[in-house]
């Protein structure tokens, strides 16, 4: 697999920037000749001294406290199945006493807070229904603490040996603390359905840690695993958890091996996901999803493990929506690439060609990679093959109402793999710190002829820091940056100091324009407060503000 990191040094030649209004073609190597100037800031293309800048947020990532990020139902029995209560003073003392292999529709496994973490692993293979989902949830402690499930020294229920039986038993058991997969006795077409894991803290599933498998043998976690691993499933919800100190926080898998090998309708909502990855490796990420209809929303993504070079969000899905998240760091904040393991299924779906990214607060060091990567990450293929460039996304990335803060020394926001990928970009606030000397919007990557890199970026109404440019001064690039509307440009950050909210009177306020026809039916309903918690977004002026937050 090719690196998830930006390949900023491998650009191809030829490129340009077009202004798509009647005024005709203009240059855009610095933003001087387009855009409005904020009152009192001088010429938009003038040199900007660091002393004159109002810096965007520079403080280190702050871990959210234990309060839920989004309103979520309490962990109580459903009343439609068996209630399995686990913890101090409850009917079951430990996780291995839960009959995981025979959970039924409507069952609830309630894990009560304990001052001592639970050291247990489990398998979810149940078939819930829309009316009777199967739920594993945490009952919080006296100060709102999530119950902790610790993978170090964790034990596995002995009767799960049969459930894990087969050639892949050791592999699956070493992958995760919580595994969502069919029982070995199930038909190939079976897959778990209508399952929910919420309100728990999962820690320590990593090659530095060990566990006991279902046979009682001490094993080491695999170097490609996760706190929660979804091998297959339909209508799976992962909500209100903290996922940390694992190889990855969450991984979902989909292949072209039939209807039973698909993860579908996966919702990742309201989680704190941070500190995952492998030091020195680019292949493990805070979350890595492959599926159909994946929605990632209302989460807080913190930086990966020190030295890890993976992405905050890596995805190979059809029908991806990433909305209302706070995303900090990663080689890419969001890496949206080809359906490597299910190209036939993905390419047959129209939603493989459309990806939505909106309402997010993103902060990233530009020196470690581009902010958004869209298209594919394997290259060197040939036309008609079912790998690499022929199966890239080849669609439209819709990017709107995000606030992006870019730090570091040199940065690029959009990395579109080929000219068959396009980004529609509007109503965003893209703020470069004063340390960024190369404030680029586009970067390229290596691809095999006849493909050419660079993509098509259609830039509508957005706010950009003064000194912005199409590409850096050292490279040329194919593709186009089309300015369908002149951007608003300012020397000073339009955000309140240390935050995400527009300053009063800044150019962000009331400046948003109606969405294009293709996504006009997508409402902007939510925003995150300073702590990363979800609140309703209410337009306070004559129009919504640019970016992810209303003033």
């Amino acid at each position: 697999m090719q690196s998830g990191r930006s390949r900023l040094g491998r650009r191809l030649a030829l490129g340009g920037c077009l202004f798509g209004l009647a005024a005709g073609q203009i240059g855009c190597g610095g933003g001087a000749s387009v855009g409005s100037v904020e009152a009192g800031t001088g010429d938009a293309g003038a040199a900007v001294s660091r002393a004159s800048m109002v810096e965007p947020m520079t403080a280190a990532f702050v871990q959210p406290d234990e309060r839920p990020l989004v309103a979520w139902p309490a962990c109580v029995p459903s009343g439609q199945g068996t209630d399995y209560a686990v913890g101090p003073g409850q009917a079951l003392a430990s996780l291995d006493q839960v009959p995981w292999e025979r959970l039924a529709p409507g069952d609830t496994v309630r894990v009560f807070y304990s001052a001592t973490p639970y050291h247990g692993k489990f398998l979810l293979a149940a078939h819930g229904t829309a009316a009777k989902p199967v739920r594993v949830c945490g009952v919080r402690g006296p100060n709102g603490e999530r119950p902790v499930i610790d993978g170090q020294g964790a034990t596995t229920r002995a009767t799960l040996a049969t459930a894990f039986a087969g050639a892949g038993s050791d592999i699956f058991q070493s992958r995760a603390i919580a595994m969502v997969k069919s029982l070995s006795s199930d038909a190939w077409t079976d897959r778990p359905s209508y399952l929910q894991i919420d309100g728990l803290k999962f820690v320590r599933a990593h090659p530095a840690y060990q566990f006991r498998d279902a046979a009682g043998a001490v094993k080491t976690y695999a170097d490609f695993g996760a706190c929660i691993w979804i091998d297959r499933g339909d209508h799976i919800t992962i909500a209100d958890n903290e996922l940390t100190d694992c190889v990855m926080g969450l991984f979902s898998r989909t292949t072209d091996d039939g209807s039973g090998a698909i993860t579908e309708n996966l919702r990742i909502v309201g989680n704190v996901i941070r500190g995952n990855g492998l030091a020195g490796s680019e292949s493990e990420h805070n979350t890595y999803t492959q599926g159909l209809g994946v929605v990632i929303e209302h989460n807080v993504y913190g930086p990966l493990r020190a030295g890890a070079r993976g992405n905050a969000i890596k995805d190979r899905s059809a029908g991806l929506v990433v909305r209302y998240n706070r995303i900090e760091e990663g080689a890419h904040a969001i890496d949206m690439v080809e359906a490597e393991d299910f190209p036939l299924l993905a390419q047959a779906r129209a939603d493989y060609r459309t990806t939505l990214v909106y309402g997010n607060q993103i902060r990233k060091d530009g020196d470690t990679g581009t902010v958004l990567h869209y298209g594919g990450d394997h290259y060197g293929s040939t036309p008609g093959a079912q790998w690499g460039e022929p199966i890239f996304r080849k669609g439209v990335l819709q990017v709107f109402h995000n606030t992006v803060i870019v730090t570091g020394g040199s940065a690029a926001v959009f990395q579109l793999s080929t000219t068959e990928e396009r980004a529609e970009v509007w109503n965003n606030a893209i703020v470069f710190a004063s340390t960024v000397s190369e404030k680029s919007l586009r970067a390229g990557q290596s691809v095999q002829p006849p493909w050419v890199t660079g993509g098509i970026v259609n830039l509508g109404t957005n706010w950009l820091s003064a000194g912005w440019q199409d590409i850096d001064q050292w490279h040329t690039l194919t593709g186009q940056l089309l300015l369908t509307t002149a951007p608003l440009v300012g020397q000073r950050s339009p955000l309140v100091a240390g935050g995400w909210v527009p300053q009063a009177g800044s150019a962000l306020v009331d400046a948003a324009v109606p969405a294009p026809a293709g996504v006009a039916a997508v409402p902007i309903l939510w925003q995150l407060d300073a702590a990363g918690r979800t609140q309703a977004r209410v337009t306070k002026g004559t129009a919504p503000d640019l970016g992810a937050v209303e003033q």
Side-chain angles (χ1 to χ4, degrees), residues 83-149:
D83 173 41
Y84 297 98
V86 183
Q90 304 304 315
L92 304 176
S94 60
L95 293 172
D96 61 6
Q97 294 178 353
V98 176
W100 300 105
E101 68 279 5
R102 51 185 173 85
L103 294 180
D107 286 354
T108 306
V109 179
R110 293 186 295 149
V111 182
F112 283 73
Y113 174 77
S114 169
T116 302
Y118 294 88
H119 293 272
K121 290 159 50 68
F122 60 89
L123 168 73
L124 283 177
H127 298 81
T129 68
K132 296 182 178 182
V134 174
R135 185 182 186 192
V136 180
C137 57
V139 179
R140 291 175 179 260
N143 299 307
E145 307 97 325
R146 295 179 181 91
V148 177
I149 301 181

Side-chain angles (χ1 to χ4, degrees), residues 187-266:
W188 175 254
T189 54
D190 284 346
R191 53 180 174 158
S193 58
Y194 291 96
L195 305 180
Q196 181 169 305
I197 301 174
D198 65 273
L200 297 164
K201 180 176 180 177
F202 292 87
V203 301
R204 300 206 292 182
H206 182 277
Y209 308 122
Q210 294 182 315
F211 66 96
R212 289 190 180 272
D213 68 11
V218 176
K219 299 291 180 68
T220 299
Y221 286 98
D223 59 6
F224 193 82
C227 292
I228 300 174
W229 180 288
I230 303 168
D231 184 64
R232 59 187 65 189
D234 185 21
H235 286 93
I236 310 297
T237 299
I238 309 298
D240 187 31
N241 302 288
E242 183 176 350
L243 309 176
T244 188
D245 199 9
C246 294
V247 178
M248 292 180 281
L250 179 145
F251 176 83
S252 70
R253 183 169 180 254
T254 295
T255 71
D256 269 333
D257 296 318
S259 61
I262 298 169
T263 298
E264 189 169 11
N265 299 309
L266 170 62

Side-chain angles (χ1 to χ4, degrees), residues 1 42-43 62 88 95 186 249 294 301 344 394 401 430 436-438 475 480 485 487 510 514:
M1 187 177 348
D43 181 75
V62 177
L95 293 172
D186 288 339
V294 175
Y301 281 80
L344 300 179
K394 302 184 189 299
H401 275 294
I430 300 175
V436 181
S437 59
E438 297 289 336
H475 300 91
Q480 292 177 327
T485 304
D510 298 350

Side-chain angles (χ1 to χ4, degrees), residues 334-337 352-355 372-376 393-397 415-418 421-423 445:
I334 312 175
D335 189 24
M336 300 153 283
V337 288
Y352 184 50
R353 309 302 183 189
T354 301
T355 299
L372 303 177
H373 179 215
Y374 177 74
R393 298 263 179 160
K394 302 184 189 299
V396 181
L397 173 64
Q415 186 177 9
L416 274 58
S417 298
T418 75
E421 279 82 37
R422 186 173 93 246
Q445 69 175 69

Side-chain angles (χ1 to χ4, degrees), residues 11 71 93 103 124 189 201 235 249 304 320 341 349 351-352 358 374 395 412 426 428-429 439 468 475 479 485 535:
R11 312 276 174 48
L103 294 180
L124 283 177
T189 54
K201 180 176 180 177
H235 286 93
L304 281 80
L320 173 67
D341 293 334
R349 295 174 58 99
D351 60 0
Y352 184 50
Y358 63 93
Y374 177 74
W426 77 97
N428 303 283
K439 303 179 177 73
W468 70 271
H475 300 91
T485 304
Q535 57 184 209

